[in-house]
Amino acid sequence: MIKLDDIRKHAARRPDHVAVVDRDFRLTWTELAEQVARVATGLADHLPAERPARAAFMSCNSWELVVVMAACATLGVPCIGLDYTTTPEATAGALEQLQPTVLISTPLRRPLLEQSGWPGARDVLSIHLAGPENDDYDTGPAAPGAVCFQALAAYEPAPTTPVEQPFTAFSFTSGTSGIPKLVIRNSSFEARRLSDLVDQYSFDEDDVHMVTVPLYHSSGPGWARIFLSLGGSVVLSPYEDAEKMAELIVAEGVSTTLMVPPVLNRLVSHPASEHLHRTSRLRFLLSGGRHLNRWVINQTWDRLGPVLHLYYGTTETGLNTMIGPEELHVAPARSGRPMPGSTILVLDPEHRPLPKGQLGRIAIASYQLMDSYASAEPDFLMIEHAGRTQKYLLTGDSGVMDEGGRIELSARNDGVTKAEGRHPLDVNIFALEDELTGLPCVRETAVLKVDLPDEGPTLVAAFAPVSPEREASGSRAVLAACLRRAPQLPARVVTVPEIPYSPTGKVRTAQLLSTVLDLIGQENAASAADRMELATA
């Protein structure tokens, strides 16, 4: 989030311009500067002496959270979000890596922190926000060592000195298949990326950016910070309510937004979005996180106009590629060309660059590259290419670079399946999912490559049918597509009520895999019972 000095500059220039919208609550730049100054003063007064100082929050998006994040930035305290939809074990694993000295939470999310064993007996400052889910709360501390937002906001603004500690930026991977990994950077790339994006897309102070992803995901505060840095406005929107999103886009004059594919699908499938192409000022919509199928791309063009941009990015490498609406409309399977400052190679099993058109592992060199993990060793490679030697991160993603220099991903490491070992997947998972989604009997689907007991490597297609009546025909159609696309692997089709997604658009791999394996086990048991009955008849 941006610092108090920058907020005050915007307040001096545009005192009554709205900076943050949260439901019916608005903060002008003047009001935001006042709130951040007070909370930064109070936070400095309560901050534990332990160093390095680090803050973590578990909260839904709210204006209070924005203020506290800005206060932390002002004091030089890195502030990182925690996934409030995960398990106590994953939460404990994340906190053990970060070792925060400040924990920020709301009443609804605090039990998950307590179940994870934090803060426990540790010397941690607990800051209690009201949160959008609970407007009425006690203004006093809830427990020793805790302070509520209102108590911090009651401080008289006073000069504050940033904490003396080296710069470090943190972010967590999605952790959809286990405990998230803490990504560490020892220098900031924000200024350069801001300059690149402003030059390329002409963002300015008149833009209104709608936040539809949780601020615990790095893309949420990352994109909000761009428009706050420019002096624009940020609107906090619920991601689960498509009708409310459509209403806000029109009412608040939203011009830019980021939506993960499930949220975008929800919006363009809702009747409320039908006329947004002519009733809104939306000009830039970014989506990423998973492959976008052709139907969503076409429906977005019809409902919203030529505004959709697709990006490929990872927590470890930042923003890697981008593709615009016109090119995306004719090449929907692509993720775009490398952004300025990024180099992407597709590598063979021996880590040698492959020619265009060949499938391999994706490696990325960039000024946005991570420095390390807190609890694992990244796969860094020094590769000489085109007369230049650079440090690349070998990702778990696989894909192909086309003749135009555009990347087509075949599988992502934050999706349901990924490149394993040193070898790329031999199945284009995204192309298969795209075909399955186009079937009239399939509502949604996810494909997994699973090593099943007694069966070995197997392609498992989990799909939710459009109706119970279409389940049998859907299973046959899905199986036929799997066998056609991947004849080298046996295929199993499993019907599920829905594909589980995180609020950040990631398939919850562990949850889906557990459901799928249970269903396959039941099918195998039923088949064995049938065979036994036939044998004894």
Side-chain angles (χ1 to χ4, degrees), residues 46-50 100-102 118-126 145:
H46 286 82
L47 203 62
E50 183 182 348
T101 55
V102 179
W118 283 74
R122 300 169 177 85
D123 183 18
V124 177
L125 170 65
S126 293

Side-chain angles (χ1 to χ4, degrees), residues 180-496:
K181 288 183 287 193
L182 183 64
V183 173
I184 301 171
R185 289 180 172 87
N186 298 318
S187 60
S188 176
F189 59 76
E190 295 292 342
R192 179 174 174 182
R193 188 169 72 174
L194 173 64
S195 177
D196 288 343
L197 291 171
V198 169
D199 286 346
Q200 192 162 355
Y201 298 105
S202 301
F203 299 139
D204 60 32
E205 63 183 13
D206 293 323
D207 276 314
V208 177
H209 180 73
M210 186 167 77
V211 178
T212 68
V213 295
L215 290 173
Y216 71 70
H217 190 265
S218 58
S219 64
W223 282 88
R225 186 164 49 243
I226 289 170
F227 297 96
L228 291 176
S229 297
L230 295 171
S233 304
V234 167
V235 177
L236 305 179
S237 169
Y239 68 86
E240 74 284 354
D241 189 339
E243 185 172 2
K244 184 62 176 178
M245 285 191 291
E247 176 189 324
L248 285 171
I249 287 172
V250 176
E252 301 297 339
V254 171
S255 58
T256 76
T257 187
L258 183 151
M259 293 183 183
V260 295
V263 172
L264 177 58
N265 188 10
R266 193 177 301 137
L267 175 66
V268 298
S269 300
H270 197 281
S273 68
E274 183 177 1
H275 303 296
L276 287 179
H277 62 282
R278 58 180 177 81
T279 59
S280 77
R281 61 187 290 256
L282 190 65
R283 69 181 182 90
F284 181 91
L285 188 156
L286 187 65
S287 189
R290 289 197 73 234
H291 172 64
L292 270 182
N293 66 65
R294 192 181 301 269
W295 183 90
V296 174
I297 293 171
N298 293 341
Q299 186 77 346
T300 301
W301 186 291
D302 291 340
R303 292 272 171 122
L304 307 180
V307 300
L308 179 60
H309 297 70
L310 183 65
Y311 80 100
Y312 163 46
T314 72
T315 308
E316 294 91 339
T317 62
L319 182 62
N320 304 318
T321 71
M322 189 92 78
I323 187 170
E326 288 79 9
E327 195 172 15
L328 183 60
H329 201 58
V330 297
R334 308 298 194 268
S335 296
R337 296 178 179 84
M339 294 288 289
S342 295
T343 305
I344 299 181
L345 299 178
V346 179
L347 304 180
D348 68 10
E350 304 303 322
H351 301 157
R352 296 171 300 199
L354 286 166
K356 293 176 180 178
Q358 292 193 23
L359 178 68
R361 288 279 292 277
I362 291 177
I364 299 172
S366 172
Y367 68 92
Q368 304 169 63
L369 209 60
M370 65 181 288
D371 287 298
S372 63
Y373 289 119
S375 59
E377 288 297 324
D379 289 327
F380 286 127
L381 302 171
M382 295 302 296
I383 301 176
E384 182 179 355
H385 178 70
R388 184 182 182 188
T389 300
Q390 291 179 276
K391 182 171 77 171
Y392 289 79
L393 178 68
L394 182 65
T395 74
D397 304 338
S398 60
V400 176
M401 183 172 291
D402 70 12
E403 291 301 322
R406 298 170 299 199
I407 290 293
E408 177 182 353
L409 296 176
S410 61
R412 293 286 307 274
N413 67 358
D414 55 3
V416 292
T417 189
K418 63 181 180 180
E420 298 173 342
R422 297 174 61 197
H423 302 277
L425 287 165
D426 51 3
V427 179
N428 190 330
I429 298 294
F430 285 163
L432 175 56
E433 288 183 344
D434 192 32
E435 180 175 337
L436 297 183
T437 307
L439 296 173
C441 46
V442 174
R443 177 162 52 86
E444 56 182 356
T445 185
V447 179
L448 304 88
K449 189 179 178 185
V450 182
D451 196 1
L452 294 177
D454 303 324
E455 298 181 43
T458 305
L459 206 62
V460 177
F463 87 101
V466 295
S467 67
E469 296 77 20
R470 305 298 294 274
E471 179 177 341
S473 61
S475 295
R476 291 193 297 270
V478 170
L479 180 59
C482 290
L483 295 176
R484 182 173 60 255
R485 282 273 183 179
Q488 69 273 40
L489 287 174
R492 296 286 295 265
V493 177
V494 178
T495 304
V496 295

